[in-house]
């Protein structure tokens, strides 16, 4: 079974509109972390935002916020006031692991969503 | 700039050859992770080193090997290369304390093309 599911292979959004990128996850761990990364056409992987499983508040970083719904196992990324430079691939990733075990803290990745911002 | 340096940025080589990809983590980061990103497989975890020791292996082929040196830089060795090894290879580093909220910082990747 997929551990990270991103159901939107691609999205077109008008500049200045808000956009929500979907991510659902599957884990039996109580302690885990959820990440969003952006990959522009140049190829580098850029960290955007993090949400811990025990965090009670939704994470925010500038124009990025994470809509964390733990019971539904979803961690959607919201980009407010989209800009042309937001056009990129967006990846949701999860790190599982408990402190008690020798966790390897690897990231498990979704397939990504290609976001294109239209002027 | 993430602070993680990968060299070379691009590599074109023939099938059957061997190449070495190099990664310098961010200053102070003890963990290095290697990932492979190919068109058909997406991002796959290969291997994780922490302070010079191998911590975990993912979907790494036997033809591939890696090591982390005392100065914490890491090398990924790919041998007997096949066309299907063509991919973007990422190195990432993190502090890796016992906390969960340590994001991994990625290098710009090495794009390997096997012809």
């Amino acid at each position: 079974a997929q551990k990270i599911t991103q159901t939107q292979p691609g999205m077109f959004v008008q500049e200045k509109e808000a956009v929500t990128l979907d991510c659902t996850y599957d884990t039996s761990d109580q302690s885990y972390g959820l990440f969003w990364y952006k990959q522009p056409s140049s190829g580098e992987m850029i960290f955007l935002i993090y949400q811990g499983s025990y965090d009670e508040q939704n994470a925010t970083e500038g124009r990025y916020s994470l809509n964390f719904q733990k019971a539904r196992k979803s961690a959607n990324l919201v980009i407010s006031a989209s800009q042309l430079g937001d056009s990129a691939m967006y990846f949701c990733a999860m790190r599982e692991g408990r402190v008690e075990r020798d966790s390897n803290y690897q990231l498990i990745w979704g397939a990504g969503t290609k976001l294109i911002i239209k002027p | 700039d993430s602070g993680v340096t990968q060299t070379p940025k691009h590599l074109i080589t023939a099938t059957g050859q061997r190449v070495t990809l190099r990664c310098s983590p961010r200053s102070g980061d003890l963990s290095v992770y290697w990932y492979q990103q190919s068109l058909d497989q997406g991002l796959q975890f290969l291997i994780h080193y922490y302070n010079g020791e191998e911590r975990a292996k993912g979907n790494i082929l036997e033809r591939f090997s890696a090591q982390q040196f005392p100065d914490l830089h890491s090398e990924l060795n790919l041998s007997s290369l096949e066309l299907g090894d063509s991919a973007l290879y990422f190195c990432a580093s993190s502090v890796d304390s016992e906390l969960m909220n340590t994001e991994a910082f990625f290098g710009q990747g090495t794009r390997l093309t096997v012809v």
Side-chain angles (χ1 to χ4, degrees):
Chain A
Q2 292 286 338
K3 289 226 168 193
I4 298 285
T5 303
Q6 294 181 252
T7 57
Q8 307 149 311
M11 287 184 73
F12 285 91
V13 172
Q14 200 68 40
E15 189 182 7
K16 295 185 183 143
E17 287 184 354
V19 56
T20 298
L21 304 179
D22 295 340
C23 173
T24 57
Y25 60 92
D26 182 26
T27 181
S28 57
D29 283 357
Q30 295 302 308
S31 179
Y32 52 89
L34 296 157
F35 302 78
W36 277 91
Y37 282 84
K38 171 184 178 182
Q39 186 178 35
S41 57
S42 52
E44 72 266 33
M45 199 68 76
I46 302 166
F47 167 75
L48 296 178
I49 197 166
Y50 165 85
Q51 180 84 41
S53 59
Y54 293 119
D55 293 342
E56 295 184 353
Q57 305 269 355
N58 284 343
T60 60
E61 289 285 348
R63 292 186 301 113
Y64 303 108
S65 61
L66 201 150
N67 184 1
F68 181 47
Q69 298 187 43
K70 195 169 180 177
R72 298 177 61 181
K73 292 189 175 177
S74 80
N76 298 339
L77 176 71
V78 179
I79 307 174
S80 62
S82 58
Q83 302 170 356
L84 296 177
D86 294 332
S87 295
M89 283 290 289
Y90 288 80
F91 291 94
C92 179
M94 176 173 65
R95 177 180 285 164
E96 294 176 301
R98 292 187 295 269
V99 172
E100 294 82 11
R101 75 166 186 241
D102 185 21
S103 171
N104 56 45
Y105 295 131
Q106 61 159 302
L107 287 170
I108 304 163
W109 298 82
T113 296
K114 187 176 177 94
L115 175 65
I116 297 175
I117 307 298
K118 300 182 291 183
Chain B
D1 183 2
S2 67
V4 179
T5 305
Q6 284 188 253
T7 57
K9 286 190 172 44
H10 300 276
L11 199 49
I12 301 175
T13 190
T15 54
Q17 295 297 306
R18 173 190 167 95
V19 296
T20 297
L21 312 184
R22 183 188 167 100
C23 169
S24 295
R26 289 190 322 155
S27 176
D29 284 358
L30 299 179
S31 267
V32 169
Y33 305 81
W34 286 97
Y35 290 88
Q36 178 194 57
Q37 185 180 29
S38 57
L39 283 174
D40 57 344
Q41 294 282 330
L43 266 151
Q44 299 284 324
F45 166 69
L46 295 179
I47 199 164
H48 170 207
Y49 277 85
Y50 178 77
N51 204 19
E53 293 186 3
E54 180 186 303
R55 286 289 290 268
K57 270 187 176 179
N59 301 318
I60 188 166
L61 300 171
E62 285 190 10
R63 299 183 285 108
F64 297 180
S65 65
Q67 53 184 328
Q68 186 179 27
F69 294 88
D71 66 353
L72 300 176
H73 91 271
S74 178
E75 293 181 355
L76 179 67
N77 301 296
L78 316 175
S79 61
S80 302
L81 284 167
E82 301 175 0
L83 296 178
D85 297 328
S86 295
L88 188 56
Y89 290 84
F90 281 108
C91 163
S93 75
S94 71
V95 170
D96 254 12
S97 67
E98 290 186 344
L99 299 174
M100 291 300 295
N101 61 337
T102 51
E103 67 266 28
F105 293 87
F106 282 74
Q108 292 200 314
T110 293
R111 186 168 295 281
L112 174 66
T113 303
V114 182
V115 297

